[in-house]
Amino acid sequence: MLYVIGLGLSDEKDITVKGLEAVRGCERVYLEAYTSILMVEKEKLEEFYGRPVITATRETVELESDEILRDADKVDVAFLVVGDPLGATTHTDLLLRAQNRGIPTQTIHNASIMTALGSSGLQMYNFGQAISLPFYTQTWTPDSWYDRLEENLRYGMHTLVLLDIKVREQSEENMARGRLVYEPPRFMNPATAFEQILLTEGKRHPSSEVEADMDDDDDVPVAAGPTLMDPEKTLAMSLSRIGTSTQKIISGTVAELARLTAEDYGAPLHSVVIVGKRLHPLEVEFAGRWCVGGESGDWWRVAKEVYGVERESFD
Amino acid sequence: MLYVIGLGLSDEKDITVKGLEAVRGCERVYLEAYTSILMVEKEKLEEFYGRPVITATRETVELESDEILRDADKVDVAFLVVGDPLGATTHTDLLLRAQNRGIPTQTIHNASIMTALGSSGLQMYNFGQAISLPFYTQTWTPDSWYDRLEENLRYGMHTLVLLDIKVREQSEENMARGRLVYEPPRFMNPATAFEQILLTEGKRHPSSEVEADMDDDDDVPVAAGPTLMDPEKTLAMSLSRIGTSTQKIISGTVAELARLTAEDYGAPLHSVVIVGKRLHPLEVEFAGRWCVGGESGDWWRVAKEVYGVERESFD
C-alpha cells in the first residue's frame, strides 16, 4: 500500500492522528524535499515519529518513483508532503504510477493553502481561479497570470495568487558544467510579488502614475480600456506563515502593500490575494483587522468608495 | 483561549495531533451539531478524546456564543467543526465575537471539501467560483447559481457544486405551532442535484431534448444563445464520502450522471463538479478512471470530440 500523507501547514504536530499511525506502521517513509525545506527539519520529524525518514529529491521522476514504489505491493510505504497531497500534479503522477502497477493507494488529507485561504476572512465562494506568479528574470517576465486575474476581476471574484518557490535551482554555470550543486531555496516574498504585479500592470496599462520598465521590444499587448486593477483602488492581502504560530496577515490597497518591504512580510511561506468587487461587509470587517494604517487605513475608504461596501457593524 | 478546531473529513482519527492535544487540555469542548451528525457519533469522539463533549445546536447564535465564550479569557475552550473551521461565515462570526471581547483565539486547520476536491484529479488552478445548490421545493427553485456556473464555463473553468444540507428543519406545521421538533437531517444526493440542474437547464435553455417542468408563470429569463452546459456534451463528476474509507468518485457526462440513482451514489456527503473546457490530458486520464461505462464510456469520447483533449498516455 502506498500512503500519500499531507502534513498540514506548520510543524510536526499538524499531521493527523490517522497519518501518524500510518507513518509509524510503514516499512519506508519518504519526505518530499520541498516539504522538508519548508516545514520542520527531517530530524525533528524522525524524532517525533520515532522512525527514520528518507528525503525524496524528485531529481528524476521515473527513477525515483521506481524506488518509492519498490515492493509497495508487499509492504506499506508512505510519501509525505507539505499541506495536502492533491494540490499539485506531482503526486497525481505518483498515484497513477502506483495504480498502474496494481499497488493499492490511500490518500490522507490535511489542510493546504487553499483551506487556509479561509483565514483571510474572505469567503471561499467568492474566489475565482487561483493563479501562479513565477519569479521574473531580466529576460523573462511571463504574465499570462494577468489574463486570469482580469477574468476573475471582471466577475468580481477574489484571486489567490500562489507565489513561486525554487527548491532545486542550479546556477547557469553549474548547469553548463553538469555540476549537481544547488542554490539555496527561494520562496517569493510578497514585496517581490507586488513589484512584479505593478511591473506587469504598468506594461498592460501604461500611465504616468505607474512607473514601468518599458522595453520597446516587449511583445506585450497594451490593453484597450481602463485597467481592472488600479493599485490605488484595488484591495489586496498578504497571507504569511498561515497555520503557524507566527501567522501574519496584512490587508490594504495594492499600492499600500507594494510599499511594504520584504522584512515587513517576514519569512516564508507567503501568498497574496487580490480582492474582487463581490466583497461582503463581513469580509471587510474581518479582513480589515489587519489593515495597513489601522482604523484610518485606505482599506476602509476604498471598500466604501470603490467597492461600495460598508463595514459590518458588530456586537 | 478559544480554539476552533477542524476535524477533517471522515472519523475521529482525522483530527490533527495538535488538535487532539488542544481538545484534551480544554475546560469545555463544543461540537457543532452538523458536525456530530455528519461524522462519528459524539460518544465515539468522547471515547477517543477521553473527555466529555457538548453538542452546540446553534439554535440562536447570540445566546449560544455567550455560553461558548463564557470565561474563555480565563480557561481554554474548544469548538469543533467538520472539515476546516474557516470554510463558512458561521465560525468567522464566533471568532469575531471572541476577538471583540479580547479573548485570544487559535484556529487549527484541517482538510475540507475544498482540499479534497483535489481527489477528483482535476487541477485546483482550473476551478472557478464554487456554487451552492439549495434544495428546490414545489414553489421555490432559486437558480442564481446557474449564472455563476455560466461565468465559470465561459472561461473554461471547473465548478465545484456544494450540495445543500438541512440539519434543523422544522415541518411547516411544527413551525406554526412553535414546536421545536426537527425533521431528520437531509443531505442532498447527486441524483437530486442533477435533477435540479437539468430542471434549471431546461428553463434557461428550453429545447425539445430536455424535458422541463415549464410553468408559464415562471419569471425565468430564457437565455439568448446556445447553452454552455449541454448535458450530453458537458463532463461532470460526483464526489462522495471523500476522505473516508468508502470514498466514491464517478465521472461521465452530465446526462450519464443524471441517469444514476440515489443508491448508485450512496450515503452522504456528496459534491458535484461540472468540468470546464480547460481540461488537461492528465485530468482526463486521472478522473476517467471512475467513468460510467469504463473504457467505452462517454467520458473519453466527449473529452476528445467536445473538449478537444486527448487522454494522456501513461507508463
Side-chain angles (χ1 to χ4, degrees), chain A residues 190-203:
Chain A
T192 305
F194 283 110
E195 212 175 281
Q196 296 189 185
I197 287 169
L198 289 187
L199 182 78
T200 296
E201 175 63 26
K203 285 185 181 179

Side-chain angles (χ1 to χ4, degrees), chain B residues 4-15:
Chain B
V4 184
I5 303 173
L7 297 186
L9 298 167
S10 176
D11 57 48
E12 70 277 12
K13 290 190 178 177
D14 282 320
I15 192 171

Side-chain angles (χ1 to χ4, degrees), chain A residues 269-283:
Chain A
L269 193 60
H270 309 279
S271 300
V272 159
V273 174
I274 306 296
V275 179
K277 291 275 166 64
R278 287 198 190 162
L279 191 59
H280 181 276
L282 197 61
E283 294 176 306

Side-chain angles (χ1 to χ4, degrees), chain A residues 212-242:
Chain A
D213 187 358
M214 296 296 295
D215 179 354
D216 288 331
D217 296 323
D218 270 341
D219 195 12
V220 172
V222 174
T227 179
L228 294 169
M229 210 216 72
D230 181 332
E232 299 284 353
K233 298 182 178 176
T234 305
L235 298 179
M237 302 180 70
S238 64
L239 308 175
S240 304
R241 302 175 298 287
I242 298 299

Side-chain angles (χ1 to χ4, degrees), chain B residues 18 40 95 172 193 201 207 234 293 311:
Chain B
K18 189 176 283 177
V40 293
L95 281 167
E172 287 187 24
E201 174 62 27
S207 75
T234 305
R311 54 191 297 188

Side-chain angles (χ1 to χ4, degrees), chain B residues 66-103:
Chain B
D66 280 351
E67 173 51 29
I68 291 169
L69 299 177
R70 179 174 53 83
D71 297 331
D73 53 335
K74 304 186 187 64
V75 299
D76 290 336
V77 174
F79 187 76
L80 311 180
V81 299
V82 78
D84 182 78
L86 290 171
T89 27
T90 325
H91 314 118
T92 312
D93 175 281
L94 186 64
L95 281 167
L96 272 173
R97 286 172 191 272
Q99 285 162 18
N100 278 338
R101 298 186 198 192
I103 293 165

Side-chain angles (χ1 to χ4, degrees), chain B residues 212-269:
Chain B
D213 188 357
M214 296 296 294
D215 179 355
D216 289 330
D217 297 323
D218 269 342
D219 195 14
V220 173
V222 174
T227 179
L228 294 169
M229 210 216 72
D230 181 333
E232 298 283 352
K233 296 181 178 177
T234 305
L235 298 179
M237 302 181 69
S238 65
L239 309 176
S240 304
R241 303 175 296 287
I242 298 298
T244 79
S245 55
T246 60
Q247 169 170 314
K248 187 173 188 180
I249 298 176
I250 305 174
S251 51
T253 61
V254 170
E256 282 178 320
L257 265 62
R259 282 193 284 270
L260 299 177
T261 66
E263 289 69 35
D264 290 324
Y265 292 109
L269 190 62

Side-chain angles (χ1 to χ4, degrees), chain B residues 73-268:
Chain B
D73 53 335
K74 304 186 187 64
V75 299
D76 290 336
V77 174
F79 187 76
L80 311 180
V81 299
V82 78
D84 182 78
L86 290 171
T89 27
T90 325
H91 314 118
T92 312
D93 175 281
L94 186 64
L95 281 167
L96 272 173
R97 286 172 191 272
Q99 285 162 18
N100 278 338
R101 298 186 198 192
I103 293 165
T105 65
Q106 188 178 335
T107 303
I108 296 179
H109 290 288
N110 207 324
S112 75
I113 184 59
M114 307 297 272
T115 332
L117 172 161
S119 304
S120 67
L122 300 177
Q123 275 280 65
M124 287 183 136
Y125 287 105
N126 287 334
F127 277 82
Q129 52 195 313
I131 63 181
S132 259
L133 188 63
F135 272 113
Y136 282 1
T137 68
Q138 291 278 48
T139 52
W140 193 57
T141 59
D143 62 2
S144 58
W145 57 266
Y146 190 89
D147 301 309
R148 293 187 155 218
L149 173 62
E150 283 198 314
E151 287 170 3
N152 286 349
L153 287 170
R154 196 164 290 129
Y155 285 136
M157 295 185 278
H158 307 319
T159 305
L160 174 65
V161 184
L162 297 164
L163 308 188
D164 201 3
I165 289 164
K166 295 228 177 273
V167 174
R168 295 183 71 70
E169 283 186 292
Q170 289 171 281
S171 68
E172 287 187 24
E173 184 187 343
N174 282 327
M175 226 188 292
R177 295 190 180 195
R179 286 201 301 214
L180 293 181
V181 174
Y182 299 100
E183 303 301 299
R186 284 200 294 159
F187 302 90
M188 192 187 292
N189 185 286
T192 305
F194 283 110
E195 212 176 282
Q196 296 189 186
I197 288 170
L198 289 187
L199 182 78
T200 297
E201 174 62 27
K203 287 185 177 178
R204 296 296 195 97
H205 298 276
S207 75
S208 56
E209 292 153 31
V210 179
E211 279 192 54
D213 188 357
M214 296 296 294
D215 179 355
D216 289 330
D217 297 323
D218 269 342
D219 195 14
V220 173
V222 174
T227 179
L228 294 169
M229 210 216 72
D230 181 333
E232 298 283 352
K233 296 181 178 177
T234 305
L235 298 179
M237 302 181 69
S238 65
L239 309 176
S240 304
R241 303 175 296 287
I242 298 298
T244 79
S245 55
T246 60
Q247 169 170 314
K248 187 173 188 180
I249 298 176
I250 305 174
S251 51
T253 61
V254 170
E256 282 178 320
L257 265 62
R259 282 193 284 270
L260 299 177
T261 66
E263 289 69 35
D264 290 324
Y265 292 109

